[in-house]
Amino acid sequence: MNKILEVKDLRTYFFTNTGTVKAVNGVSFFVCKGETFGIVGESGCGKSQTCRAILSLIKKPGKIVGGEILYKGQDIIKMSQDELRRIRGKEMSIIFQEPMTSLNPVLTIKKQMFEAFSQTNMTKQEKLQRSIELLRLVGIPSPENRINEYVHQFSGGMRQRAMIAVALCSQPELLIADEPTTALDVTIQDQIIKLLAKLKQELNMSIILVTHDLGVVAQMCDRVAVMYAGIIVELTDTTTLFSKPRHPYSYALMGSLPDQSKIGSDLEVISGSPPNLVDMPSGCPFAPRCKYAIDICLKKLPELVAIEKGHLTRCHRLEIVSKFPGIIADTTTKKSRGDIDA
């Protein structure tokens, strides 16, 4: 198992006037070479902050207060700015949520792509040729002409494709896609997901896919971490997560997905709201919303333990979750899309 990235007990806090927001509170996982690793959860659960920490993009009032982020065995947290610049953008790159705010509106696409080549020794002509190739690769029509246009001249789907092209300029070994299909219509979403899968194969990349869309997870991911209130509550391969979820939160998420087998029956509903990350409960953060919770769930945070090889869950009620019936047997043929925040 060739691990390209390993995150150990990562803690990222934001120190605000109202208190300390524990956005990422002890997260651990690894990503293998050529793997698509999904991070899924409701808005505000810590998905994006986990990925920003991986690229050392946490800004004040935020701070990484603990843990390790090992990229090819080197701890990113301990790297100098010069060392980070040699890795960030060159070996690791990111696609942000909203291209209209992430791409520079006053620079042409060409200039922004040229900036992404700044860590290379390519000539101006080589940069232009490679930029046009990348725009063509991500499906931009007439790239030799459109490369001189500005962001506002692109549609939403084209902006997202342009951002992917910018992220791929340095041929990164690890690509972080932070909600790459947000605010796009279903047809464009499907095109972007298929594009990422195609690029992964052609460029032999590893991908961390951040999303709250379980349909995207089913299509793209090899393994998945389910996050809730800054912690991982379940981690396993995608097929197992959809067929045998072993945490009450994961199980409720899977139960809320529309499926042909559920026609005429009610979908699962998760009552209540996630906890305030400034005033976290001492026990399991999901306990106030969990119908299986008992006293210990309200008092003590359960450990993330392996219940099967490669399948970890964080729950005091293992005798209950081990008996959860299967949900969706085959994710490869799953057509429905489920949005956690819907």
Side-chain angles (χ1 to χ4, degrees), residues 181-218:
T181 59
T182 294
L184 301 177
D185 64 57
V186 175
T187 302
I188 301 301
Q189 285 183 27
D190 191 55
Q191 292 175 4
I192 295 298
I193 290 304
K194 288 179 178 177
L195 172 62
L196 286 174
K198 176 173 175 283
L199 293 173
K200 171 193 168 184
Q201 294 299 323
E202 291 183 359
L203 303 177
N204 193 29
M205 290 188 305
S206 302
I207 297 177
I208 297 177
L209 179 64
V210 177
T211 184
H212 54 244
D213 189 326
L214 293 170
V216 172
V217 170

Side-chain angles (χ1 to χ4, degrees), residues 88-90 93 109-120 122 127 131 134 165-171:
R88 192 166 54 204
K90 185 176 181 181
S93 196
I109 297 299
K110 181 174 77 173
K111 287 186 177 180
Q112 294 185 66
M113 295 189 78
F114 276 29
E115 284 184 353
F117 287 120
S118 61
Q119 295 297 314
T120 70
M122 298 170 67
K127 290 178 183 179
S131 296
L134 285 171
V166 172
L168 294 178
C169 281
S170 58
Q171 293 186 304

Side-chain angles (χ1 to χ4, degrees), residues 207-254:
I207 297 177
I208 297 177
L209 179 64
V210 177
T211 184
H212 54 244
D213 189 326
L214 293 170
V216 172
V217 170
Q219 286 181 268
M220 279 284 294
C221 298
D222 300 302
R223 291 186 303 120
V224 191
V226 180
M227 286 191 70
Y228 185 82
I231 62 174
I232 290 176
V233 296
E234 187 162 7
L235 195 160
T236 186
D237 65 88
T238 303
T239 300
T240 300
L241 180 68
F242 278 81
S243 61
K244 296 192 301 181
R246 288 297 179 258
H247 188 278
Y249 178 59
S250 306
Y251 188 75
L253 290 180
M254 298 303 128

Side-chain angles (χ1 to χ4, degrees), residues 7 9-14 21-29 44-53 58 63-66 227 229-232 277:
V7 177
D9 197 29
L10 177 64
R11 298 174 188 272
T12 303
Y13 295 173
F14 287 79
V21 179
K22 297 180 180 180
V24 183
N25 199 19
V27 164
S28 299
F29 62 87
C45 71
K47 307 185 301 294
S48 294
Q49 296 307 327
T50 297
C51 291
R52 286 179 175 273
I58 301 297
K63 184 179 180 181
I64 299 174
V65 299
M227 286 191 70
I231 62 174
I232 290 176
L277 297 183

